[in-house]
Every structure is written in C-alpha cells, then in structure tokens.
Amino acid sequence: MSASQYDRVAFPFGDRQLEGDVVGFEPAGDVRGPDGLLIVDVDGLTYRTTESDAERPDR
C-alpha cells in the first residue's frame, strides 16, 4: 500500500469522526498482519491512523 492509493479518508479519533487528506504513509506490521499508518492532514493538523481504521468518505 502507499499514500497514492488514498486521497481523502475518514477515521475515528476519540469520540469524533475526522476527515482529511492523506499526505503520507508509513509501512508497519505486527502479529495481526501488515497495517500501515496513514498520515492525514485535517485542517492543518497532522494525525496518524491505521489503514484498517480509515475509510473513504461517501461523496
């Protein structure tokens, strides 16, 4: 996977659902399997979320 496969994603953050543009990707893996980290720009702030938590927003 890579950031080029994503453009805009929504993801949970605490009790809120955030939406932003993917600006980067960090490959990762653990015992559950490969689940990279997406770096997401939300109104000028940067968040990291796993690929499995991110979803493409309906538009």
Side-chain angles (χ1 to χ4, degrees), residues 24-43:
F25 176 80
E26 294 178 6
D30 60 20
V31 295
R32 297 176 304 209
D35 196 15
L37 293 173
L38 298 175
I39 302 166
V40 184
D41 180 302
V42 179
D43 298 329

Side-chain angles (χ1 to χ4, degrees), residues 5-45:
Q5 294 177 323
Y6 300 94
D7 50 358
R8 192 158 182 87
V9 295
F11 60 97
F13 185 78
D15 60 348
R16 299 170 46 197
Q17 186 78 359
L18 299 179
E19 185 176 320
D21 298 315
V22 176
V23 295
F25 176 80
E26 294 178 6
D30 60 20
V31 295
R32 297 176 304 209
D35 196 15
L37 293 173
L38 298 175
I39 302 166
V40 184
D41 180 302
V42 179
D43 298 329
L45 298 175

